[in-house]
């Protein structure tokens, strides 16, 4: 079933590649490079899955995570980290992130993470993953 | 004189002083003994003189009254005078005064001759002729005794003078010696110390210029100045090593920044290649677009690597012309990671028409990286970092690094440029950043200044001449390679 996915990374190529792949799988994907634009979009719409980079110019991925969960606790947030350091990963998991992926990653890894998120969403709320 | 070392000179003076002092003792002892001897002699001469006067008194009585009594007394005193005389002549012989007394001896013999004529009591009658002769002989004896006495008096007073003179001469010699020694100490020790103290203050601020062998005073202090200059040279080569290790330290900052930076293009390449690699159908156009992305991202990665290499290259004293604005922006990029982690906002106020400047690209980059790193450290909870750069009058450029951090307390402000001065925890700061920066700016003929308001922030101002002539003597002969 189609999911609403938001992808935020200040590297445009990341959004482009993920969008192409995920749309082919039938998901509904919106991509952003500017965190502030993404934030205003997140305020207007509830997504099933949010993928965000941790390190960005104007905002940090952890802030996005907190904001998303505050608005909709069931949204699954996947963090992309430049540093595959345990510390950042632990912090994001502790703050409620669903998973994290370290750069550089392959499309398959991202797809697997998203599949896991879909499974989790279905278990929580069978039949209506989008919650509406 | 200047070839003799100071140590030798001082030792010489001390030995000379001791020698004079030691010589003083026997001389004074000798003089006092002599004086003592002379006093004994004088006493003897006085006794002799007084006895002779007694002889003459009874002689006069006898010649007046022709009495036996007076004659006997006269005899008695003459006997006594003769005894005293032989004692005196023996004594005087001992003190080499034999000739003084010879006259008196002769006069006494003469007197005795005439006196003997009265030895026969029957001869108590008067004889004008003999009486006159006796009287004349008596006068001669008194005159000789008087001369002897006076001579002894003179000798005593001369000996007393000598006994007083020698200590005075020695004291004078000691005084002269002391004055010369003091003069040498002032010229060779005190003045050079002043000179060296001044030079040391310069060294403390990273200026390693040697003391010039200019004027006479400096030449006099030659050995000391030479030793100091050797030390400064040594220190300077050490400082080159410190600059080196600083570079390795800032390399850490750089590497962590680069690692993050490199990750992005690599990730982009991985993703794009992954798409190309998938067995999905796609148009040639799409394929070309993806290939182009890979190429661009690869170039981006190599650019980052180039930066890293540029910075780590060991040529500490390469002197070239370059774009200062570009250097500043590059430095800001190197520190970007650190800046972002501390929630610091950067304001770029670098003038667009900055002149190209000549100098050591890498050294200056290190200076600005140190200043930026310090500024960011001072703003752990976030703040504003402003980098200003503009042209100044007189072919100079001014770069300011301003932060809104903790500021620097007035009490530590004078020390921040000192090597190893740090307020940071062990392992966090080496305290070398500013001292090394000071040295680099100094070598460019520039200045580095600081203004700070505790609690408000700090401004570091670097002024550089546009055309730097780096003093080649101050740089090591040939670039050492990084270990
Ligand atoms: N911008 C600033 N704001 C406040 N204090 C500063 C600033 N710059 C320097 N200081 C003070 O000066 C000291 C010396 O700075 P310096 O760069 O020489 O050494 P450090 O930063 O402590 O260590 P290092 O740079 O070797 O890692 C610092 O410890 C700090 O107390
Ligand atoms: Mg420092």
């Amino acid at each position: 079933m189609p999911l609403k996915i938001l992808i935020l990374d200040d590297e445009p190529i990341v959004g482009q590649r993920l969008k192409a792949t995920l749309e082919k799988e039938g998901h509904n994907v919106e991509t952003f490079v500017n965190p502030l634009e993404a934030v205003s979009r997140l305020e207007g719409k509830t997504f099933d899955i949010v993928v965000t980079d941790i390190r960005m110019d104007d905002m940090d991925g952890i802030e996005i995570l907190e904001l998303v969960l505050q608005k909709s606790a069931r949204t699954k947030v996947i963090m992309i980290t430049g540093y595959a350091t345990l510390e950042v990963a632990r912090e994001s998991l502790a703050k409620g992130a669903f998973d994290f992926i370290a750069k550089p990653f392959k499309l398959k890894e991202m797809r697997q993470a998203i599949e896991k998120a879909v499974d989790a969403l279905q278990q929580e709320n069978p039949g209506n993953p989008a919650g509406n | 004189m200047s070839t003799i070392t100071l140590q030798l000179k001082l030792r010489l003076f001390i030995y000379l002083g001791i020698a004079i002092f030691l010589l003083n003792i026997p001389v004074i002892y000798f003089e006092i003994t002599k004086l003592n001897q002379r006093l004994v002699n004088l006493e003897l001469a006085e006794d002799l003189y007084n006895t002779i006067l007694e002889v003459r008194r009874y002689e006069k009585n006898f010649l007046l009254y022709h009495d036996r009594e007076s004659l006997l007394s006269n005899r008695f005193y003459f006997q006594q005078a003769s005894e005293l005389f032989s004692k005196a002549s023996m004594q005087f012989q001992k003190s080499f005064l034999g000739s003084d007394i010879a006259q008196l001896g002769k006069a006494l013999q003469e007197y005795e001759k005439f006196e003997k004529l009265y030895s026969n009591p029957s001869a108590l009658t008067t004889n004008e002729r003999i009486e006159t002769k006796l009287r004349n002989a008596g006068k001669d004896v008194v005159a000789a005794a008087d001369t002897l006495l006076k001579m002894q008096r003179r000798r005593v007073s001369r000996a007393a003078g000598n006994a007083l003179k020698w200590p005075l001469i020695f004291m004078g010699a000691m005084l002269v010696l002391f004055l010369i020694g003091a003069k040498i100490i002032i010229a060779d020790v005190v003045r050079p110390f002043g000179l060296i103290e001044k030079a040391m203050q310069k060294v403390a601020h990273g200026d390693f210029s040697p003391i010039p062998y200019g004027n006479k005073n400096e030449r006099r202090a030659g050995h000391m100045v030479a030793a100091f200059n050797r030390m400064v040279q040594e220190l300077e080569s050490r400082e080159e090593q410190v600059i080196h290790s600083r570079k390795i330290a800032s390399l850490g900052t750089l590497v962590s920044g680069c690692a993050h930076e490199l990750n992005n293009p690599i990730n982009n390449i991985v993703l794009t290649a992954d798409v190309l690699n998938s067995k999905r159908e796609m148009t040639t156009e799409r394929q070309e677009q993806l290939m182009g992305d890979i190429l661009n991202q690869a170039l981006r990665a190599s650019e980052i690597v180039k930066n890293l290499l540029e910075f780590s290259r060991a040529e500490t004293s390469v002197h070239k012309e370059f774009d200062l604005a570009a250097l500043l922006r590059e430095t800001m990029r190197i520190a970007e990671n650190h800046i972002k982690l501390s929630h610091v906002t950067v304001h770029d106020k670098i003038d667009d028409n900055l002149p190209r400047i000549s100098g050591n690209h890498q050294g200056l980059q290190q200076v600005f990286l140190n200043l930026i790193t310090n500024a960011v450290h001072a703003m752990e909870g976030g703040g504003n970092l402003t980098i200003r750069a503009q042209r100044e009058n007189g072919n100079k450029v001014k770069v300011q690094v301003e932060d809104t951090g903790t500021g620097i307390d007035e009490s530590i402000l004078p020390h921040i440029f000192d090597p190893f001065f740090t307020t940071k925890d062990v392992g966090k700061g080496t305290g070398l950043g500013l001292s090394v920066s000071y040295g680099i700016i100094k070598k460019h003929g520039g200045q580095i200044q600081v203004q700070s308001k505790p609690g408000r922030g700090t401004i570091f101002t670097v002024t550089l001449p546009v055309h730097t002539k780096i003093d080649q003597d101050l740089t090591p002969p040939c670039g050492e390679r990084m270990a």
Side-chain angles (χ1 to χ4, degrees), chain B residues 120-305:
Chain B
N120 188 351
S122 61
L124 286 177
T125 48
T126 48
N127 180 331
E128 273 310 316
R129 212 171 49 84
I130 291 175
E131 268 177 28
T132 315
K133 281 205 169 144
L134 180 62
R135 215 176 268 127
N136 284 342
K139 272 186 198 147
D140 285 349
V141 170
V142 172
D146 186 48
T147 313
L148 182 70
L149 182 60
K150 281 197 179 119
M151 209 174 287
Q152 291 313 309
R153 283 216 174 99
R154 264 205 304 283
R155 282 180 197 282
V156 165
S157 84
R158 209 179 312 138
N162 278 350
L164 201 66
K165 182 176 79 192
W166 281 109
L168 281 178
I169 288 175
F170 280 117
M171 264 156 74
M174 294 280 263
L175 189 70
V176 168
L177 198 71
F178 176 78
L179 285 179
I180 295 174
K183 222 182 141 203
I184 285 179
I185 287 176
I186 287 173
D188 283 17
V189 182
V190 179
R191 278 191 49 87
F193 267 128
L195 221 66
I196 282 165
E197 191 186 341
K198 254 190 257 154
M200 291 233 204
Q201 272 161 4
K202 283 204 295 184
V203 169
H205 286 121
D207 180 354
F208 290 102
S209 41
I211 301 174
Y213 276 96
N215 59 52
K216 194 170 120 255
N217 281 331
E218 280 154 358
R219 236 178 298 119
R220 286 190 108 253
H223 42 276
M224 225 154 173
V225 172
F228 178 83
N229 283 349
R230 260 200 311 283
M231 179 194 81
V232 163
Q233 237 174 358
E234 195 62 23
L235 265 182
E236 193 182 17
S237 72
R238 290 283 149 81
E239 205 210 25
E240 291 291 337
Q241 289 165 18
V242 169
I243 289 182
H244 224 87
S245 49
R246 276 298 300 179
K247 197 165 55 204
I248 292 168
S250 21
L251 213 56
T253 318
L254 185 69
V255 164
S256 74
C258 280
H260 179 75
E261 283 240 354
L262 270 177
N263 240 339
N264 281 323
I266 289 173
N267 187 48
N268 290 336
I269 291 170
V270 169
L271 284 176
T272 313
D274 208 16
V275 169
L276 271 172
N277 209 20
S278 69
K279 278 143 208 135
R280 281 206 197 93
E281 305 243 323
M282 61 184 86
T283 59
T284 331
E285 217 175 288
R286 171 86 176 134
Q287 275 180 357
E288 272 168 12
Q289 189 206 336
L290 293 177
M291 293 293 220
D293 277 351
I294 290 180
L295 198 62
N296 278 337
Q297 294 302 313
L299 288 178
R300 183 179 157 197
S302 96
E303 191 66 29
I304 294 166
V305 171

Side-chain angles (χ1 to χ4, degrees), chain B residues 246 374-375 378 403 406-408 412 416 421-424 428-435 458 460:
Chain B
R246 276 298 300 179
N374 282 347
D403 67 60
T406 54
I408 304 170
I412 68 164
I416 60 168
F421 177 84
T422 181
T423 55
K424 292 166 193 172
K428 287 222 170 120
T430 58
L432 288 173
L434 286 178
S435 75
T458 308
F460 277 89

Side-chain angles (χ1 to χ4, degrees), chain A residues 9-11 13-14 16-18 20-21 24-25 53 55-57 60 63 80-83 102-108 111, chain B residues 256-257 259-260 263-272 274-275 280-281 286 289-290 293-294 297 300 336-337 340-341 343:
Chain A
D9 193 313
D10 54 2
E11 292 284 326
I13 287 182
V14 173
Q16 285 166 26
R17 300 296 112 89
L18 291 182
T21 316
K24 281 222 174 73
E25 305 208 339
D53 194 5
R55 189 74 69 72
M56 288 168 300
D57 267 353
D60 130 3
E63 287 175 65
I80 302 177
T81 133
Y83 287 117
K103 276 183 186 177
F105 57 88
K106 287 189 169 184
L107 290 172
K108 197 174 146 213
R111 249 185 329 227
Chain B
S256 74
H260 179 75
N263 240 339
N264 281 323
I266 289 173
N267 187 48
N268 290 336
I269 291 170
V270 169
L271 284 176
T272 313
D274 208 16
V275 169
R280 281 206 197 93
E281 305 243 323
R286 171 86 176 134
Q289 189 206 336
L290 293 177
D293 277 351
I294 290 180
Q297 294 302 313
R300 183 179 157 197
E336 196 173 83
N337 214 31
K340 264 182 217 148
L341 276 177
H343 302 279

